[in-house]
Amino acid sequence: MGNGVREGPVEFQRDVEPVTARIPAEDNQEKKKVLNSLMSGALAGAVAKTAVAPLDRTKIMFQVSSKRFSAKEAYRLIYHTYLNEGFWSLWRGNSATMVRVIPYAAIQFCAHEEYKQILGNYYGFQGKALTPFPRFIAGSLAGTTAAMVTYPLDMVRARMAVTPKEMYSSIVHVFIRISREEGLKTLYRGFTPTILGVIPYAGLSFFTYETLKKVHAEHSGRAQPSPPERLLFGACAGLIGQSASYPLDVVRRRMQTAGVLGHTYSSILRTMRDIAREEGLVRGLYKGLSMNWVKGPIAVGISFTTFDLTQILLRKLQ
């Protein structure tokens, strides 16, 4: 009996130890995965947006004005901005962009990885590529999550891009003046068209990029595309995603900057109607799209490529 009493606890401890050891290991692995996604996404967003910041600022300035867009006028605006305000003024508002885009991109890419896993488990695709519809849903949910969290920073960035530096001296100054003069609610003006635009934009961007990688793997026999191929896939993703949601991007910018440019836009449909009536359907709601076809694919291509390569590097280091 004595031997039986002693052996009981020993048997129990042998059964429990592997389970308790396994749970922290799985938790640590999941935490590392999330942290890697956040770091890779933050770097991807920062590199991509900085690379195209002068074109981005120029596009916003056309979007919020009634001036007709052309490549010649865009070049003239960039050149005059450089002459009158200096070279670094072309990156005006980029500090606000970085404050927004680093958390935005980090959340978006990390959320995309998590949504892919959740949808994969739900549809029974664990460890495999998702089918087209869940692929689109994962991208849309990721973009929506990131936009909801970081929207006020996007508003601030738009204000800084279209105003002289004398009006707003810093990001904090923009927040203070808007909340004092226009009310805190203004920080979310244009939020609805943003979300409506993010759903097709993020959904189609991630869908296109993931689909092109899957098709490439099936036809080439290589599990991973090369960096130039990633850039090309990302460029295609950006071209399709931004073209689909562009009118809502124009509406968003008009609503965000209405307070400083003397306009009043109360709803999405009224804003679209006013723009179309005053400037024309195509010339108004698609103003600057040709510049976006240059800027967008470059930015999205750099973003996706930087994210993937950083992920690969971090996995190797770990």
Side-chain angles (χ1 to χ4, degrees):
M1 281 182 71
N3 288 340
V5 171
R6 277 196 303 271
E7 285 172 7
V10 174
E11 285 287 323
F12 178 74
Q13 286 173 354
R14 268 195 216 114
D15 289 339
V16 171
E17 278 174 8
V19 177
T20 54
R22 215 168 34 240
I23 292 170
E26 288 174 2
D27 285 348
N28 287 337
Q29 199 64 31
E30 186 61 28
K31 285 177 184 174
K32 279 183 182 178
K33 184 184 165 190
V34 170
L35 187 61
N36 284 358
S37 294
L38 287 170
M39 290 171 60
S40 302
L43 182 63
V47 172
K49 279 296 185 181
T50 301
V52 298
L55 293 176
D56 212 19
R57 186 187 178 198
T58 303
K59 182 200 75 172
I60 292 172
M61 290 171 82
F62 273 102
Q63 282 182 328
V64 302
S65 74
S66 56
K67 288 182 185 176
R68 200 170 151 187
F69 177 84
S70 68
K72 185 178 178 181
E73 286 299 317
Y75 168 76
R76 188 175 293 167
L77 178 60
I78 291 171
Y79 185 62
H80 277 278
T81 304
Y82 162 70
L83 286 180
N84 297 330
E85 301 178 38
F87 177 72
W88 294 112
S89 67
L90 297 172
W91 274 264
R92 175 164 168 73
N94 195 50
S95 57
T97 301
M98 289 300 102
V99 171
R100 171 194 170 257
V101 85
I102 288 174
Y104 180 92
I107 292 167
Q108 179 176 239
F109 278 106
C110 183
H112 183 246
E113 295 297 307
E114 294 303 309
Y115 285 130
K116 277 200 304 183
Q117 187 174 322
I118 291 167
L119 290 168
N121 292 337
Y122 180 78
Y123 286 101
F125 299 120
Q126 293 94 329
K128 298 177 185 176
L130 296 173
T131 52
F133 182 67
R135 211 177 297 154
F136 175 82
I137 292 298
S140 295
L141 288 173
T144 302
T145 302
M148 288 173 71
V149 174
T150 62
Y151 185 78
L153 294 167
D154 187 46
M155 164 68 123
V156 168
R157 175 248 184 160
R159 285 290 182 95
M160 290 188 77
V162 301
T163 55
K165 55 188 176 183
E166 295 79 20
M167 187 166 185
Y168 297 119
S169 59
S170 67
I171 297 167
V172 176
H173 188 212
V174 183
F175 274 110
I176 292 170
R177 280 197 64 174
I178 288 175
S179 58
R180 186 185 298 156
E181 296 172 11
E182 302 173 56
L184 285 172
K185 197 183 288 186
T186 304
L187 291 171
Y188 277 88
R189 185 183 290 159
F191 179 71
T192 304
T194 297
I195 295 300
L196 291 176
V198 158
I199 291 170
Y201 169 65
L204 286 169
S205 295
F206 279 106
F207 168 82
T208 304
Y209 186 68
E210 294 286 323
T211 300
L212 289 173
K213 285 204 301 182
K214 183 174 180 288
V215 171
H216 173 271
E218 289 170 354
H219 285 79
S220 70
R222 288 185 284 126
Q224 297 294 339
S226 65
E229 287 168 336
R230 290 180 195 275
L231 278 170
L232 180 62
F233 298 163
C236 291
L239 191 65
I240 292 169
Q242 293 191 343
S243 297
S245 61
Y246 195 79
L248 286 163
D249 191 43
V250 174
V251 171
R252 167 176 67 126
R253 294 303 183 199
R254 291 292 178 99
M255 294 179 79
Q256 285 177 336
T257 58
V260 291
L261 297 178
H263 296 291
T264 303
Y265 297 118
S266 57
S267 69
I268 298 170
L269 291 176
R270 189 168 294 174
T271 304
M272 281 187 164
R273 187 194 64 195
D274 290 348
I275 293 170
R277 189 178 62 229
E278 293 169 15
E279 302 166 47
L281 186 64
V282 175
R283 287 176 181 168
L285 290 173
Y286 287 90
K287 183 184 289 183
L289 179 60
S290 55
M291 177 173 282
N292 235 41
W293 284 343
V294 176
K295 176 194 77 73
I298 293 171
V300 178
I302 291 172
S303 181
F304 278 127
T305 303
T306 304
F307 176 78
D308 279 354
L309 296 181
T310 307
Q311 283 275 78
I312 293 166
L313 177 63
L314 288 173
R315 285 194 203 110
K316 286 181 179 177
L317 291 173
Q318 290 172 356

